[in-house]
Amino acid sequence: MVCSMIAGAFAAIITNPLDLAKLRMQISRAGVWEEGFSDYKHMFDAVGRIFRKEGILSLWKGAGTRAITQMCTVGIAMSVVEGVKPKVTKLLDN
């Protein structure tokens, strides 16, 4: 379970730039963000513009929070699966 939690955190950190770009695109389409971010063509265009305007470290804003959230989610899911699996197996064997 610990390995799964670490893998989930690692995946969250690696994909954070794409998630940040997706979030910014959603906010701009909703009309909440008014700083000229509504003209992103696609995800990679958004990542490039964020990188050029705000710097490389800005692509990982919130990565720590996402990693912790992912670790908790994976930990809970794995615990539930491992707890339910014997019961479901027993039920299906009958």
Side-chain angles (χ1 to χ4, degrees):
M1 178 169 40
V2 173
C3 290
S4 297
M5 292 170 68
I6 292 170
F10 185 71
I13 290 169
I14 294 297
T15 60
N16 197 72
L18 295 176
D19 191 56
L20 178 69
K22 176 193 65 133
L23 179 65
R24 295 244 181 126
M25 290 173 75
Q26 289 172 332
I27 289 171
S28 69
R29 287 186 183 146
V32 178
W33 199 299
E34 298 294 334
E35 294 181 23
F37 289 106
S38 62
D39 55 348
Y40 291 137
K41 294 180 181 113
H42 46 76
M43 296 264 297
F44 297 111
D45 178 51
V47 169
R49 289 185 190 197
I50 293 168
F51 169 72
R52 285 189 297 277
K53 185 172 182 178
E54 300 174 36
I56 189 138
L57 293 179
S58 68
L59 294 173
W60 279 274
K61 286 181 182 176
T65 305
R66 276 192 73 218
I68 291 170
T69 302
Q70 188 66 21
M71 287 177 70
C72 294
T73 302
V74 169
I76 291 169
M78 292 293 291
S79 299
V80 169
V81 165
E82 293 302 319
V84 171
K85 190 187 330 181
K87 294 176 176 126
V88 171
T89 303
K90 184 179 177 183
L91 182 66
L92 292 176
D93 285 343
N94 290 336

